[in-house]
């Protein structure tokens, strides 16, 4: 007998531009509930998807914390365990690339967890929130999106959470997967996946401790002042190096000390491509830094590397396991 049950999707509202309206003093701020967002989507009723809403937070993307994300991950797990076919998270685009990867790392179940938002708020002509939300719900409800972990659906593109980056401050096509491209597209309301990643890292389990992971970007003429002044405050660090993973010779000493004391991951500040491991051989080159104990991030950009490092530490993994996860994952 065919399965005639309507797919059940749970939409969590967290705020962001998609949920903003005008304030009395001018400008916009998060105000709309998840229920209001769903009610504003034309054509949703015709999809025959059963939508439940959870009004989770009403904050700008910049104000979300790891505690919020831990709570969100637990709530998502609860709804999926209770039988939901998929989940959509609506939130501020400013931290979508980090939030989606956080949820992706914790998702060991087959159901899709789809994150979306809007670049044009509901008071503007051509607001993109309703179209993005409809596409996200259609993706979360569809069997094609199962076993892909965390996804970002935006402007009718489906992106892997581990790859996607916000690349433009205002464009509606801000979300780009520079490493490998989008996984697929929404076509006539149906998700079509053309390009599946071959590896996916997961870090199951709830956080058991509070950790702080710093991110320091190398800049021309860097002498390590920022690293020296702040590194003690962090349990681990990501260094966004030049190009394939380089730092000025001046910074090698402090990084050597830090890598002996805590996990220090080396990523590229370029925004695409992998750090290398054995091509350049001068003080501050990638091979020099790796020999000094830094951990190469592979294809993970600095923001993604920080989320993976945070999740590994928060769930109790030690330095050696962290190294093994970063170097063994392929990080694609
Ligand atoms: N501009 C952001 C957005 O698109 C604001 C935020 O992240 O809350 O939602």
């Amino acid at each position: 007998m065919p399965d005639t049950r309507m797919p059940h999707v749970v939409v969590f509202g967290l705020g962001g531009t998609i949920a903003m309206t005008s304030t009395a003093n001018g400008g916009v701020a998060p105000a709309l509930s998840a229920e209001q967002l769903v009610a504003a989507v034309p054509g949703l009723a015709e999809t025959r998807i059963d939508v439940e809403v959870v009004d989770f937070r009403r904050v700008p993307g910049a104000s979300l914390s790891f505690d919020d994300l831990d709570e969100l991950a637990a709530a998502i797990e609860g709804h999926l365990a209770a039988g939901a076919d998929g989940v959509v998270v609506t939130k501020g685009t400013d931290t979508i690339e980090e939030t989606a990867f956080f949820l992706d790392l914790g998702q060991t179940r087959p159901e899709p967890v789809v994150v979306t938002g809007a670049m044009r708020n509901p008071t503007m002509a051509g607001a993109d929130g309703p179209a993005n939300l409809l596409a996200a719900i259609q993706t979360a409800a569809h069997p094609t999106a199962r076993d892909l972990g965390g996804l970002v659906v935006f402007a009718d593109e489906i992106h892997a959470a581990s790859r996607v980056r916000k690349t433009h401050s205002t464009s509606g096509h801000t979300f780009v997967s520079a490493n490998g491209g989008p996984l697929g597209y929404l076509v006539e309301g149906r998700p079509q996946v053309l390009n599946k990643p071959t590896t996916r890292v997961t870090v199951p389990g709830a956080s058991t401790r509070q950790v702080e992971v710093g991110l320091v970007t190398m800049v021309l003429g860097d002498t390590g002042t920022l690293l020296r002044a702040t590194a003690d405050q962090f349990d681990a660090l990501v260094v966004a190096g030049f190009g394939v993973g380089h730092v000025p010779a001046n910074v090698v000493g402090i990084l050597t000390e830090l890598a002996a004391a805590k996990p220090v991951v080396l990523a590229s500040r370029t925004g695409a491509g992998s750090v290398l491991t054995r091509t350049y051989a001068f003080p501050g080159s990638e091979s020099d830094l790796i020999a000094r104990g830094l951990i190469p991030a592979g294809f993970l950009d600095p923001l993604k590397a920080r989320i993976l490092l945070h999740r590994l530490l928060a769930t109790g993994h030690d330095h050696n396991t962290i190294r093994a996860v970063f170097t063994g994952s392929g990080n694609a």
Side-chain angles (χ1 to χ4, degrees):
M1 230 170 77
D3 180 6
T4 51
R5 187 182 67 93
M6 277 165 74
H8 179 66
V9 171
V10 183
V11 176
F12 288 80
L14 271 66
T17 293
I18 191 169
M20 294 199 193
T21 49
S22 307
T23 70
N25 302 325
V28 293
L32 301 177
S33 67
E35 195 161 18
Q36 287 172 301
L37 294 192
V38 166
V41 176
L44 184 57
E46 290 80 71
T47 62
R48 300 195 47 75
I49 299 169
D50 173 37
V51 176
E52 178 183 349
V53 293
V54 178
D55 208 24
F56 190 79
R57 296 281 188 279
R58 286 185 210 171
V59 293
S63 294
L64 277 178
S65 67
F66 280 105
D67 286 344
D68 292 323
L69 296 186
D70 281 332
E71 213 182 298
L72 176 64
I76 288 173
E77 166 64 28
H79 280 273
L80 294 178
D85 294 289
V87 159
V88 171
V89 175
T90 65
K91 67 174 300 292
T93 58
D94 289 352
T95 50
I96 278 184
E97 62 203 285
E98 288 151 288
T99 304
F101 190 43
F102 180 95
L103 297 174
D104 178 55
L105 288 172
Q107 170 63 335
T108 53
R109 306 177 58 96
E111 298 88 357
V113 174
V114 181
V115 185
T116 195
M119 291 301 287
R120 298 175 66 77
N121 73 65
T123 70
M124 297 173 83
D128 53 342
N132 286 338
L133 181 50
L134 180 60
I137 292 171
Q138 288 168 322
T139 303
H142 205 280
T144 297
R146 286 172 77 87
D147 295 309
L148 295 174
L151 300 170
V152 172
V153 170
F154 217 93
D156 279 346
E157 293 185 343
I158 304 166
H159 295 269
S162 60
R163 296 178 178 174
V164 71
R165 295 181 49 238
K166 185 173 182 180
T167 63
H168 195 287
S169 60
T170 57
S171 165
H173 281 87
T174 183
F175 286 98
V176 171
S177 295
N179 295 320
L183 300 188
Y185 305 89
L186 265 291
V187 181
E188 296 180 322
R190 276 192 50 194
Q192 305 216 355
V193 175
L194 282 69
N195 166 21
K196 285 196 189 187
T198 52
T199 56
R200 189 174 148 240
V201 182
T202 56
V203 185
S207 300
T208 53
R209 61 190 186 113
Q210 293 280 338
V211 295
E212 278 245 45
V213 179
L215 166 57
V216 177
T217 302
M218 290 294 107
V219 289
L220 181 78
D222 208 314
T223 54
T225 306
L226 189 59
L227 269 176
R228 253 180 237 103
T230 58
D232 279 356
Q233 332 263 330
F234 297 112
D235 301 286
L237 279 172
V238 174
V239 174
F242 301 108
V244 298
H246 295 171
V247 306
N250 270 339
V251 178
V252 171
I254 177 70
L255 281 181
T256 308
E257 278 169 40
L258 291 171
K262 58 185 84 180
V264 181
V265 170
L266 179 64
S268 169
R269 67 173 205 169
T270 59
S274 175
V275 286
L276 296 183
T277 56
R278 55 188 172 83
T279 296
Y280 294 90
F282 50 80
S285 68
E286 82 289 349
S287 71
D288 178 47
L289 295 172
I290 291 166
R292 293 168 187 275
L294 276 79
I295 302 167
F299 276 100
L300 291 179
D301 68 42
L303 297 180
K304 305 286 188 203
R306 177 173 172 270
I307 295 295
L308 176 56
L309 190 47
H310 190 282
R311 182 109 189 111
L312 286 165
L313 280 173
T315 51
H317 294 283
D318 64 14
H319 200 140
N320 282 338
T321 313
I322 288 170
R323 180 185 305 283
V325 170
F326 270 92
T327 54
S329 63
N331 292 333

